[in-house]
Amino acid sequence: MVPVNSPLFNGNEKKYLNECIDTGWVSSEGPFVKRFENDMAQYVGRRFATACANGSAAIDIAVKALGLKKGDEVIMPSFTIISCAQSLVTQGLIPVFVDSHFDTFNMIVDDIEASITPKTKAIMIVHIFGLTVDVDPILRIAKKFNLKIIEDAAEMHGQEYKQKKCGSFGDISLFSFYPNKQITTGEGGMVLTDSVELDTKAKELRNLCFTANRFVHEELGWNYRMTNMQAALGVAQLEEIEAIVEKKRYIGNVYNALLKDIDVINLPIAKKDYCENIYWVYAITLKNRCSKTAKEVMEELGELKIGTRPFFYPMHKQPVFKKMGLFLDDYLPNSELLYEKGFYIPSGIALTMAQMEEVSDAMHKVLI
Ligand SMILES: Cc1ncc(COP(=O)(O)O)c(C=O)c1O
């Protein structure tokens, strides 16, 4: 089987993990946590960072740190992972979904202003699959309407928008370090900001809102701490980031060349004027003239031992939200079509040339 992803540990991972075992520092109190936070903040170009348990936890922290009030509206794409919408809904906030471009997979910035109401208090930017959202117009809208910005850069380590690192935009931003990401800590996440107040809040929320008066709590948070062992892995992985980003783009370019003659599929866009695709995943959509559905193509590729994953099921269609009586009238055609037509193929950094050729051969068998 060519797996859809497998991580690569080529650097100091074992050495740093051994240090955790040898010193006994395995909890979140260990020194690698601070070091990983400092390294990430410096890499991304932010003042502060808070390491936490996973990317979904990072969204919870980022959203809550902003101090929005129950019933406030947050504009976000429907075409994303449940973590983004779940965080808002469970905190009593109202997601307002905008549709996404069929070719970049990212939110349609031109649709944002029409979704703004007096209750709108924030916009959640989520970069999807490898190209960034067009950030500048969103920053202008946020300024005009006095809205907060959360930047979900979970998939974007090393990616840049107009030569500026993803994770450096808006009031507060976040990453995931799940093993399918550019760099991994097994499970892990991080919240970044330039604001002392938001940073203080994020660190309180990560740690159950303990106060100086221990075991006396003024507010509720979570135990979303990252362990020293996770952070040790993160420090070692971040040391390799340049090579990892290069490998990601290499994989994308190899697939672009290998698959370009399959005329029933759209290959991912290689470049926009504001960013170059980092191919977090190599995401493909089927053209209308393709006689097969994405589900059928994924099944047939599976029979040929090629791992695939479907695209996100849009947030406004989620049964869990329908059962809550939410988003009943939403219709966002591109987000719905992306789920029907899209899938991604093996894209992890451990992928070999032989494996990419195997994937390409299988794709040709199934789609030509
Ligand atoms: C855009 C986006 N946000 C958030 C997350 C959640 O991260 P985690 O799986 O670490 O909770 C993911 C996970 O892939 C993601 O793709």
Side-chain angles (χ1 to χ4, degrees):
M1 190 81 188
V2 184
V4 85
N5 178 70
S6 40
L8 196 61
F9 301 115
N10 267 344
N12 285 318
E13 289 85 354
K14 272 192 190 158
K15 178 170 170 240
Y16 295 162
L17 279 172
N18 277 337
E19 270 178 53
C20 299
I21 308 284
D22 292 343
T23 59
W25 280 115
V26 291
S27 76
S28 60
E29 295 288 307
F32 278 115
V33 178
K34 266 254 105 345
R35 186 165 153 192
F36 187 36
E37 289 172 342
N38 291 339
D39 289 357
M40 274 298 289
Q42 195 183 8
Y43 177 71
V44 169
R46 280 283 206 195
R47 287 180 69 197
F48 308 108
T50 301
C52 61
N54 53 63
S56 307
I59 300 177
D60 281 345
I61 292 173
V63 168
K64 194 156 183 189
L66 289 179
L68 305 178
K69 304 269 173 317
K70 221 177 153 85
D72 284 350
E73 293 177 0
V74 179
I75 296 174
M76 58 169 285
S78 179
F79 188 70
T80 182
I81 194 164
I82 191 77
S83 318
C84 305
Q86 163 168 331
S87 195
L88 299 178
V89 171
T90 56
Q91 293 188 42
L93 303 168
I94 301 171
V96 175
F97 298 125
V98 295
D99 209 356
S100 292
H101 294 285
F102 190 75
D103 58 354
T104 66
F105 316 125
N106 279 307
M107 66 198 295
I108 302 173
V109 176
D110 287 344
D111 287 357
I112 291 177
E113 268 203 57
S115 305
I116 294 176
T117 75
K119 286 185 178 172
T120 309
K121 292 293 176 308
I123 301 171
M124 190 186 287
I125 293 173
V126 191
H127 309 289
I128 301 289
F129 293 166
L131 293 169
T132 70
V133 173
D134 190 4
V135 179
D136 278 348
I138 301 186
L139 297 180
R140 280 197 291 274
I141 294 169
K143 201 161 172 210
K144 182 169 158 195
F145 293 92
N146 193 24
L147 307 176
K148 302 283 185 206
I149 296 272
I150 302 161
E151 184 199 9
D152 179 341
E155 308 172 355
M156 291 293 133
H157 326 66
Q159 176 60 304
E160 293 178 351
Y161 171 79
K162 295 187 179 171
Q163 277 84 53
K164 197 164 176 276
K165 285 272 178 319
C166 287
S168 67
F169 296 98
D171 298 275
I172 197 158
S173 52
L174 62 106
F175 288 98
S176 159
F177 303 110
Y178 189 71
N180 62 359
K181 302 302 187 300
Q182 270 77 271
I183 59 173
T184 184
T185 57
E187 299 282 353
M190 199 170 283
V191 178
L192 296 103
T193 180
D194 295 318
S195 148
V196 185
E197 292 76 30
L198 289 178
D199 179 60
T200 306
K201 195 84 212 150
K203 291 191 165 69
E204 285 169 12
L205 289 167
R206 164 183 68 178
N207 194 22
L208 293 163
C209 293
F210 276 110
T211 57
N213 195 0
R214 199 144 178 98
F215 299 121
V216 178
H217 298 261
E218 302 287 343
E219 281 183 66
L220 298 178
W222 302 272
N223 175 358
Y224 277 168
R225 300 183 298 257
M226 175 184 273
T227 70
N228 200 46
M229 295 175 291
Q230 289 167 292
L233 214 55
V235 170
Q237 288 266 283
L238 189 58
E239 289 171 354
E240 305 297 315
I241 185 84
E242 302 307 338
I244 291 169
V245 169
E246 203 177 305
K247 178 78 191 275
K248 277 295 207 192
R249 293 213 164 101
Y250 168 77
I251 291 169
N253 290 331
V254 169
Y255 275 142
N256 287 342
L258 289 174
L259 304 176
K260 68 173 187 298
D261 60 326
I262 305 179
D263 67 1
V264 295
I265 58 174
N266 299 303
L267 302 183
I269 292 175
K271 208 170 179 325
K272 297 292 287 181
D273 55 6
Y274 48 80
C275 79
E276 209 181 310
N277 205 328
I278 199 168
Y279 305 101
W280 168 56
V281 293
Y282 194 87
I284 287 168
T285 53
L286 300 174
K287 291 183 181 165
N288 282 338
R289 66 170 175 276
C290 181
S291 58
K292 294 177 182 173
T293 64
K295 195 160 177 272
E296 284 164 352
V297 172
M298 285 188 283
E299 273 165 18
E300 289 179 36
L301 287 170
E303 280 158 23
L304 296 170
K305 306 252 175 295
I306 305 299
T308 56
R309 289 283 183 283
F311 276 11
F312 295 125
Y313 190 56
M315 290 305 106
H316 68 283
K317 298 279 287 179
Q318 293 292 342
V320 60
F321 293 140
K322 297 282 180 213
K323 277 186 256 171
M324 295 165 87
L326 296 171
F327 321 125
L328 299 178
D329 300 326
D330 282 22
Y331 171 58
L332 301 165
N334 289 354
S335 303
E336 295 177 26
L337 200 60
L338 280 168
Y339 175 73
E340 272 172 45
K341 299 278 184 191
F343 65 98
Y344 63 85
I345 57 178
S347 328
I349 51 167
L351 212 58
T352 64
M353 187 66 196
Q355 286 177 315
M356 284 187 273
E357 279 166 351
E358 208 180 318
V359 174
S360 167
D361 289 348
M363 286 281 287
H364 281 81
K365 273 196 199 116
V366 173
L367 289 162
I368 284 191

